[in-house]
Amino acid sequence: MSLIGSPTTGARPPKLSNKPTIKRGSQFREDKYYFPDGNTVILVDGHLFRVHQSLFERDSGFFQTLFSLPHGVNPQEGDFDPIEGKSDENPIVCQDTLNDFRALCWVLYSRPPDIIAQQNPNTVDIPKLISVLAMSHKYDFPVFRSWSLDALQSLSVSSPTDFVRKCDGGKWDNVGRVLKLAQQCNRSTLVGCIQQGWLSHISDSSRESVTAFVQALGVAELSNDLRDFHGQAYYAYLKATSIFDVRSVGTIAALDMNSVPSSYVHQDLRSLSESRKMRLYMGFWSLSQFRIRLAQAPIFPDRPSCPNHARFCIPGWQDRWNTVIREAEQKGRCLNDPGKLLEEVHGSINGGGAVRSPGNRSQVVSCHGFIVEQFNSMKQNFDSRIADHFLIPTEDVGTHLFTQLAQRN
């Protein structure tokens, strides 16, 4: 009997299969989960598990349905078909990986100390928890699904970067897997932490960061729900190359992967597909164009209720904007990245500093609160639309965003 899909994913219900063809001696008894008093034999990747049916059907609607299916006459041969799962010669066949099925057995047979260990950052086995989540989601174990999600989320919140590192020892397969599972289970906090940790690895400018970047693209390209993450991965990589910090950067040619110095673009990225390269080019060009427009302070809507808006408030806002750029240049810091510029201004006007009248530095302009509100809305708009710079190559996104600066999301 093959276990195909699960009710939670909308797949077909389980059905009887022909007897599995097993060569004598090709299967191995799983030492830890082959119980002499077990009453159900399951074959997974050449390994036989002799387990207790009651544990599998106790919390799983899927296994409850499976074990209630009738057995008897084989419709193809017309003779009696022995009940599958009652012997090593006629096991139930599960199409799962060995590690995944071992993880499912582990959680079904675990003791309190085993469970507690998975809630301690020093003893947790994150790959095992991810396997538990995958199997409990596939086979409809709601209790174990909720428990594994809660445990993973708690670990990810405490340290997103460390959580991602522990997911799969740098192989990234499990990172993408848990991200997709968290999405399917509507765990937005866990999704956010995984993405944050993943982007952090892309941003660290190491060889591993290149692998993290390429793997992120591979996962994001398969899901429309990961569009924002898709764009953020490109942006994180561009920032990691320090390409925005090069004062001579001003054209798309600066990102030519076939000629740019290796300090900017890692050699491994020369094998990127043409479509991925084009997204990098487009994103860099679009962000650069947007930064050019930010050379001057953006103009916010008029405010008729303020009698000094044009005389003091707007000049004060422009002076604060120019001061941020000037002070950064004086300290040798380059603000070619529009996101970095917006961060600098955000810290300047939200960190206790007030927009003051150019003619009287001791006087806070009456529109300070209004300016902060408009700027914060502008920054949120930029942050939420990073993907547009990379994933809509036919649109001048920089121009579009600039015309929307004063609009709230």
Side-chain angles (χ1 to χ4, degrees):
M1 180 181 295
S2 296
L3 307 188
I4 305 173
S6 80
T8 60
T9 58
R12 295 177 297 169
K15 63 179 181 180
L16 291 175
S17 68
N18 294 329
K19 297 178 182 180
T21 301
I22 305 173
K23 296 180 181 179
R24 185 178 299 276
S26 64
Q27 69 270 36
F28 303 90
R29 290 182 175 181
E30 185 73 11
D31 292 339
K32 191 172 183 179
Y33 299 112
Y34 192 95
F35 300 99
D37 61 343
N39 59 354
T40 298
V41 180
I42 300 176
L43 178 66
V44 180
D45 195 19
H47 289 245
L48 293 167
F49 294 73
R50 189 178 185 91
V51 295
H52 300 87
Q53 177 177 318
S54 59
L55 285 180
F56 280 76
E57 63 184 355
R58 180 183 61 185
D59 297 310
S60 167
F62 181 89
F63 280 102
Q64 290 169 12
T65 301
L66 176 70
F67 292 132
S68 68
L69 289 175
H71 300 261
V73 176
N74 187 319
Q76 294 182 348
E77 301 177 9
D79 59 358
F80 181 77
D81 188 15
I83 298 176
E84 291 178 332
K86 296 307 179 184
S87 68
D88 289 3
E89 292 72 29
N90 195 35
I92 294 172
V93 180
C94 278
Q95 304 299 331
D96 296 296
T97 67
L98 191 57
N99 283 339
D100 278 356
F101 200 81
R102 282 172 175 165
L104 178 60
C105 290
W106 170 83
V107 77
L108 287 169
Y109 288 96
S110 61
R111 301 167 300 166
D114 300 326
I115 297 297
I116 293 173
Q118 300 310 309
Q119 298 170 326
N120 184 332
N122 297 320
T123 57
V124 65
D125 185 340
I126 291 180
K128 179 184 287 184
L129 279 181
I130 295 173
S131 288
V132 169
L133 171 58
M135 294 294 279
S136 59
H137 183 62
K138 178 179 180 181
Y139 290 129
D140 192 22
F141 286 91
V143 173
F144 297 129
R145 180 171 59 234
S146 295
W147 171 75
S148 55
L149 280 167
D150 289 343
L152 289 167
Q153 181 166 299
S154 176
L155 292 164
S156 70
V157 168
S158 61
S159 178
T161 303
D162 192 49
F163 173 82
V164 167
R165 180 180 61 81
K166 291 181 178 179
C167 274
D168 204 10
K171 297 179 182 177
W172 296 103
D173 292 342
N174 259 352
V175 186
R177 189 183 196 191
V178 70
L179 176 58
K180 288 183 284 189
L181 286 166
Q183 272 196 311
Q184 293 170 8
C185 296
N186 298 315
R187 288 297 187 103
S188 58
T189 299
L190 178 56
V191 169
C193 288
I194 295 169
Q195 292 180 354
Q196 178 184 343
W198 205 330
L199 294 172
S200 177
H201 280 277
I202 295 173
S203 301
D204 68 7
S205 303
S206 66
R207 171 173 285 275
E208 289 72 22
S209 72
V210 178
T211 302
F213 171 53
V214 174
Q215 292 296 318
L217 297 185
V219 171
E221 287 168 355
L222 297 177
S223 173
N224 290 331
D225 294 332
L226 292 175
R227 186 177 186 277
D228 289 343
F229 175 63
H230 195 176
Q232 290 286 353
Y234 278 108
Y235 189 35
Y237 168 72
L238 277 183
K239 291 189 289 187
T241 65
S242 301
I243 195 69
F244 287 112
D245 295 335
V246 182
R247 293 187 179 277
S248 61
V249 168
T251 68
I252 192 172
L255 199 60
D256 181 359
M257 292 184 190
N258 295 314
S259 60
V260 73
S262 59
S263 59
Y264 301 151
V265 178
H266 195 280
Q267 294 288 331
D268 290 352
L269 287 175
R270 299 184 190 278
S271 61
L272 281 183
S273 67
E274 290 303 314
S275 61
R276 288 178 174 178
K277 289 180 182 178
M278 184 56 64
R279 284 172 178 162
L280 269 179
Y281 295 151
M282 181 60 196
F284 176 68
W285 177 83
S286 179
L287 289 166
S288 297
Q289 293 301 304
F290 185 46
R291 173 59 181 88
I292 290 173
R293 295 177 181 274
L294 294 180
Q296 302 296 325
I299 299 175
F300 294 136
D302 290 335
R303 197 179 183 211
S305 61
C306 176
N308 298 316
H309 189 71
R311 184 179 179 187
F312 297 115
C313 300
I314 293 302
W317 161 239
Q318 293 171 337
D319 181 69
R320 172 56 62 89
W321 184 275
N322 294 333
T323 298
V324 169
I325 296 176
R326 183 174 61 254
E327 290 181 349
E329 291 177 347
Q330 290 173 350
K331 295 177 181 178
R333 293 186 294 108
C334 193
L335 296 181
N336 284 336
D337 175 5
K340 189 173 182 180
L341 171 57
L342 295 179
E343 285 289 347
E344 295 274 348
V345 177
H346 182 269
S348 176
I349 66 174
N350 286 272
V355 176
R356 301 179 182 277
S357 171
N360 185 355
R361 296 294 182 180
S362 64
Q363 180 181 351
V364 177
V365 299
S366 55
C367 285
H368 176 73
F370 172 77
I371 291 172
V372 170
E373 179 183 7
Q374 292 295 312
F375 173 80
N376 288 344
S377 177
M378 159 190 161
K379 185 177 182 304
Q380 289 172 7
N381 191 35
F382 172 82
D383 292 340
S384 67
R385 301 191 62 185
I386 288 295
D388 287 353
H389 291 278
F390 298 92
L391 305 181
I392 307 182
T394 60
E395 179 183 354
D396 182 355
V397 183
T399 300
H400 178 71
L401 283 173
F402 193 80
T403 61
Q404 301 297 321
L405 291 181
Q407 295 184 8
R408 298 185 182 180
N409 296 332

